[in-house]
């Protein structure tokens, strides 16, 4: 059940409790008032009847001596004062009533009594109960839509904040809730989410700018190191130094590529190319032992020609080569690349992607679990950035039987 209906149900339940409490209180107070007025009327009528009987010896209208229906507690009063008693019996047209009785003389004298019928007043009480019940139902029927509408306004405001937080979590650092009306707790939450997004965006911009600055500053000295290494005499030391400088230059180039992707400075140059040819060439350029298979989606395990896709072939090669190199470096052989329709799957048989990578996605300078080997953790980050630039979807999963699976799906 959504928050909107929970709030509406709570408001309706509260209204029902209030209506029930008010109805019970009004009923009890009115019933007591009716009985009090009936007792007062019976006592006053008995006083007048007793005065008439003592002066004239005749019974006034409604007065009786020792009536058969008189309640037992009034038949033998202990004194000659007036006493009243409630009689809830229903006899013919007479409903609940109040009796008033008083002994006319000595202890052996009869008891003079009068009866006041409460049926008209109780009928009025019944009508009052019905009217209150109907009025309560009408009020509840009118109030429930208002409660649903009000709860809907609150739910929409909260949903807007939730959607903004979801967009920020998905990587849209420009998402903001904006000013919200009301000046209440929801507005405070929205303002806090926007402030958090501003702080997070500023920190990421600072990190990205630092990465770009470091890469630019290192590019020149690394180039100088590579040129100086070429001047060394041939030998094992020269080969080792040249390899390390090449690794360092590759790291700098990766950092520059990431900084350009972060800044949105890269533009895709699209062309219609055969997907299988681009993938095969990218795998071949890695120089790694990798199996490439093209599968017909309609006839599984049947070799066929993959479709022509409109994409940037250079960036597509970059994605595939990074995935293949990552599979060999951090996974385990055999590594298999499958092309099926517009989907490219890179599968290894190593320990699989670590849980934090599957949960949070690729992150620069983090390779995940120790068993996945060493590295600076930029390959998957670059692949993800290039895929986003091409409008493709890159998913990282682990196969049930073990091993990492990277799936690249190109748009239609």
């Amino acid at each position: 059940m959504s928050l909107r209906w929970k709030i509406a149900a709570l408001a309706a339940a509260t209204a029902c409790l209030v209506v029930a409490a008010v109805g019970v209180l009004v009923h009890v107070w009115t019933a007591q008032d009716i009985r009090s007025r009936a007792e007062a009327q019976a006592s006053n009528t008995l006083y007048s009847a007793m005065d008439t009987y003592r002066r004239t010896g005749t019974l006034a209208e409604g007065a009786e001596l020792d009536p058969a229906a008189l309640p037992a507690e009034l038949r033998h009063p202990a004194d000659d004062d007036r006493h009243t008693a409630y009689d809830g019996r229903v006899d013919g047209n007479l409903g609940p009533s109040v009796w008033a009785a008083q002994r006319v003389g000595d202890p052996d004298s009869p008891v003079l009594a009068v009866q006041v019928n409460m049926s008209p007043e109780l009928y009025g009480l019944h009508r009052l109960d019905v009217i209150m019940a109907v009025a309560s139902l009408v009020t509840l029927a009118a109030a429930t839509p208002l409660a649903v509408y009000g709860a809907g306004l609150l739910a929409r405001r909260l949903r807007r904040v939730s959607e903004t937080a979801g967009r920020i979590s998905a990587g849209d650092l420009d998402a903001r809730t904006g000013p919200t009306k009301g000046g209440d707790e929801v507005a405070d939450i929205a303002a806090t989410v926007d402030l958090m997004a501003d702080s997070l965006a500023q920190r990421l911009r600072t990190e990205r700018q630092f990465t770009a600055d470091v890469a630019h500053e290192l590019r020149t000295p690394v180039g100088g190191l590579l040129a100086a290494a070429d001047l060394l005499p041939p030998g094992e030391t020269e080969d080792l130094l040249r390899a390390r400088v090449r690794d360092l230059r590759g790291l700098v180039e990766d950092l520059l590529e990431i900084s350009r992707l972060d800044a949105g400075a890269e533009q895709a140059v699209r062309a219609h190319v055969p997907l299988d040819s681009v993938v095969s060439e990218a795998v071949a350029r890695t120089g790694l032992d990798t199996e490439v298979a093209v599968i017909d989606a309609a006839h599984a395990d049947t070799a066929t020609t993959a479709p022509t896709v409109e994409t940037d072939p250079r960036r597509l090669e970059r994605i595939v080569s990074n995935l293949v190199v990552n599979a060999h470096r951090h996974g385990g052989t055999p590594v298999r690349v499958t092309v099926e329709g517009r989907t490219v799957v890179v599968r290894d048989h190593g320990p699989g992607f670590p849980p934090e990578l599957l949960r949070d996605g690729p992150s620069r300078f983090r390779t995940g679990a120790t068993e996945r080997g060493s590295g600076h953790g930029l390959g998957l980050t670059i692949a993800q950035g290039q895929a986003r630039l091409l409008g493709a979807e890159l998913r990282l999963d682990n196969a049930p039987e073990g091993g990492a699976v990277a799936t690249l799906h190109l748009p239609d």
Side-chain angles (χ1 to χ4, degrees):
M1 182 183 293
S2 66
L3 178 63
R4 175 183 183 179
W5 293 109
K6 287 181 179 179
I7 294 176
L10 179 61
T14 303
C16 289
L17 289 176
V18 172
V19 167
V22 171
V24 170
L25 289 175
V26 170
H27 177 88
V28 171
W29 181 84
T30 305
Q32 290 179 345
D33 181 68
I34 290 174
R35 181 167 177 175
S36 297
R37 287 188 287 109
E39 290 176 351
Q41 181 183 353
S43 181
N44 293 335
T45 303
L46 178 62
Y47 178 83
S48 177
M50 181 63 71
D51 181 67
T52 301
Y53 181 77
R54 286 177 175 175
R55 284 188 297 102
T56 64
T58 61
L59 294 175
E61 182 179 1
E64 299 180 71
L65 290 174
D66 294 331
L70 186 65
E73 62 266 27
L74 298 181
R75 291 184 177 276
H76 305 286
D79 50 37
D80 59 353
D81 290 337
R82 291 188 299 274
H83 299 277
T84 59
Y86 173 75
D87 186 3
R89 295 174 296 178
V90 177
D91 183 14
N93 294 329
L94 294 179
S97 58
V98 172
W99 288 87
Q102 182 179 2
R103 192 175 300 281
V104 297
D106 56 64
D108 295 330
S109 61
V111 174
L112 181 65
V114 296
Q115 182 182 18
V116 175
N117 186 13
M118 296 171 56
S119 294
E121 289 78 7
L122 294 178
Y123 177 74
L125 176 61
H126 176 71
R127 290 187 58 190
L128 178 62
D129 291 341
V130 173
I131 292 173
M132 288 193 62
V134 173
S136 299
L137 292 176
V138 172
T139 303
L140 184 62
T144 299
L146 293 178
V148 173
Y149 176 74
L153 293 178
L154 177 61
R156 280 193 292 271
R157 295 171 63 197
L158 290 174
R159 190 178 300 113
R160 182 181 173 188
V161 176
S162 175
E163 291 173 354
T164 301
R167 290 170 56 191
I168 295 173
S169 176
D172 184 5
L173 299 181
D174 295 326
R176 296 294 184 274
T177 304
T180 58
K181 300 178 181 179
D184 50 13
E185 288 82 356
V186 178
D188 294 340
I189 294 175
T192 302
V193 170
D194 288 349
L195 182 62
M196 176 195 68
D198 291 337
S199 176
L200 179 61
Q202 180 61 37
R203 292 188 180 187
L204 288 180
R205 280 193 295 267
T206 301
E207 177 187 340
R208 290 172 178 175
Q209 186 61 43
F210 175 76
T211 301
D213 292 343
V214 169
H216 281 289
E217 293 294 332
L218 288 177
R219 192 173 192 180
T220 300
V222 168
L225 282 175
L226 188 59
D230 291 336
L231 300 177
L232 294 175
E236 182 178 351
T237 302
E238 185 268 344
D239 292 340
L240 180 61
L241 180 59
R242 188 189 297 271
R244 293 295 179 265
V245 172
R246 280 198 299 266
D247 291 342
L248 183 58
R249 184 179 65 175
L251 172 58
V252 173
E253 294 298 331
D254 286 347
L255 288 175
L256 287 172
E257 184 175 358
I258 287 178
S259 66
R260 290 193 298 270
L261 290 171
D262 289 341
E266 296 287 326
Q267 298 293 330
V269 180
R270 299 181 181 275
H272 290 277
V273 294
L275 182 58
D276 57 342
S277 299
V278 176
V279 172
S280 298
E281 185 174 353
V283 173
R285 287 184 178 180
T286 64
L288 300 171
D289 183 16
T290 305
E291 178 187 356
V292 179
V294 181
I295 306 300
D296 185 357
H299 303 86
D301 300 329
T302 301
T304 185
T305 302
T308 299
V309 295
E310 183 181 4
T311 187
D312 187 329
R314 182 181 66 87
R315 300 184 187 280
L316 179 58
E317 286 184 4
R318 178 69 161 152
I319 297 172
V320 174
S321 62
N322 276 17
L323 294 178
V324 171
V325 170
N326 183 81
H328 279 277
R329 178 178 297 172
H330 305 300
T333 57
V335 176
R336 176 184 174 93
V337 179
T338 304
V339 181
E340 183 175 353
R342 294 177 175 272
T343 302
V344 180
V345 180
V346 180
R347 166 86 158 85
D348 67 45
H349 291 77
F353 292 116
E356 58 270 18
L357 188 146
L358 296 179
R359 182 183 67 247
D360 303 329
S363 178
R364 65 194 71 179
F365 301 112
R366 187 180 68 182
T367 59
T370 305
E371 62 269 15
R372 291 188 61 82
S374 60
H376 46 70
L378 298 181
L380 290 179
T381 305
I382 293 174
Q384 186 182 57
Q386 295 288 8
R388 189 181 302 114
L389 183 62
L390 296 179
E393 180 186 7
L394 178 60
R395 297 196 311 272
L396 304 178
D397 300 292
N398 287 330
E401 61 274 17
V405 180
T407 304
L408 176 69
H409 181 73
L410 297 173
D412 296 334

